[in-house]
Amino acid sequence: QQQVKQSPQSLIVQKGGISIINCAYENTAFDYFPWYQQFPGKGPALLIAIRPDVSEKKEGRFTISFNKSAKQFSLHIMDSQPGDSATYFCAAIPKYNFNKFYFGSGTKLNVKP
Amino acid sequence: EAQVTQNPRYLITVTGKKLTVTCSQNMNHEYMSWYRQDPGLGLRQIYYSMNVEVTDKGDVPEGYKVSRKEKRNFPLILESPSPNQTSLYFCASRRQGWSTDTQYFGPGTRLTVL
């Protein structure tokens, strides 16, 4: 059973548009929520991360919004570019064991020129 | 250059033939981990290691073994591979102690078990 549910499975956005990927969880012990970006043929790479004590974190065009009460968090990519085309994974790490990672199922983003 | 390397990158084998996928990192990281990536399931953690001789199960450890005899290496062993272990495998490393530290992934090993 997937502990972190991610949607949509795939996403097509026009260049300059906003890409939004959503994740939801049930386990209230999750304490850290990273997002990873994966290009074809490569391993995932950390993009941005957030802790549940803040509602938003922004790094350049990438923003995480976090809703602790709803147990949901989302990645927003502003001014999406063709170079952002990749697969994105959300993840969650529990406070009782920060060695365990639970990933979402991934979202394949295609930004059309 | 700081990196995680995996070998082989591609492997086709037959059911029951023991195989080892190697993983090595040059960042002196204490923590290393193995994941498998399958369509629609994302990445699932197989095993992780907090340091030399210290390993623990992830979410999907069945059918896999690991060992950590040296800090830089963390091989994944499939003693009797089966077709349901056909997958894309990633090794990763990180400094131990802080969940917020970046986890670095290797380039992946695509395994096909016939």
Side-chain angles (χ1 to χ4, degrees), chain B residues 14-99:
Chain B
V14 295
T15 299
K17 186 176 181 181
K18 181 179 179 179
L19 67 92
T20 299
V21 184
T22 65
C23 173
S24 183
Q25 50 93 6
N26 63 1
M27 295 169 277
N28 201 36
H29 287 164
E30 294 84 7
Y31 174 93
M32 298 184 75
S33 185
W34 276 102
Y35 299 87
R36 60 177 289 174
Q37 181 178 350
D38 301 289
L41 295 176
L43 291 102
R44 292 179 292 167
Q45 194 171 30
I46 303 171
Y47 270 96
Y48 60 90
S49 169
M50 294 78 80
N51 214 323
V52 175
E53 302 289 4
V54 184
T55 63
D56 205 351
K57 296 177 182 178
D59 251 10
V60 289
E62 297 78 19
Y64 304 95
K65 281 178 59 176
V66 292
S67 69
R68 186 91 182 272
K69 299 191 186 310
E70 304 167 283
K71 197 172 185 180
R72 62 181 295 130
N73 297 322
F74 189 42
L76 180 69
I77 302 156
L78 285 72
E79 298 225 323
S80 184
S82 62
N84 64 14
Q85 292 178 298
T86 292
S87 186
L88 179 58
Y89 291 87
F90 288 100
C91 179
S93 74
R94 185 193 76 195
R95 282 191 307 166
Q96 178 63 359
W98 297 102
S99 64

Side-chain angles (χ1 to χ4, degrees), chain A residues 37-45 86-87 89, chain B residues 1 6 9-10 37 43 88-90 105-110:
Chain A
Q37 180 187 54
Q38 183 183 34
F39 293 106
K42 304 288 187 185
T87 299
F89 294 96
Chain B
E1 180 192 353
Q6 296 179 225
R9 294 290 313 278
Y10 302 90
Q37 181 178 350
L43 291 102
L88 179 58
Y89 291 87
F90 288 100
F105 283 81
T109 294
R110 187 166 290 281

Side-chain angles (χ1 to χ4, degrees), chain A residues 13-31:
Chain A
V13 173
Q14 290 295 128
K15 179 182 175 182
I18 302 173
S19 304
I20 302 175
I21 303 170
N22 300 300
C23 286
Y25 63 98
E26 287 298 323
N27 188 347
T28 55
F30 287 143
D31 191 51

Side-chain angles (χ1 to χ4, degrees), chain A residues 1-78:
Chain A
Q1 184 185 356
Q2 202 94 24
Q3 293 228 20
V4 181
K5 292 181 168 45
Q6 183 171 346
S7 63
Q9 188 174 348
S10 63
L11 183 60
I12 300 174
V13 173
Q14 290 295 128
K15 179 182 175 182
I18 302 173
S19 304
I20 302 175
I21 303 170
N22 300 300
C23 286
Y25 63 98
E26 287 298 323
N27 188 347
T28 55
F30 287 143
D31 191 51
Y32 186 62
F33 302 88
W35 284 87
Y36 287 83
Q37 180 187 54
Q38 183 183 34
F39 293 106
K42 304 288 187 185
L46 180 66
L47 185 63
I48 186 173
I50 197 168
R51 297 204 90 111
D53 51 351
V54 298
S55 60
E56 186 175 282
K57 184 173 181 180
K58 185 175 180 179
E59 288 184 5
R61 295 183 295 109
F62 300 91
T63 299
I64 301 178
S65 297
F66 191 88
N67 186 331
K68 189 174 181 178
S69 60
K71 295 197 283 271
Q72 294 174 350
F73 57 109
S74 58
L75 176 69
H76 297 237
I77 306 175
M78 313 301 285

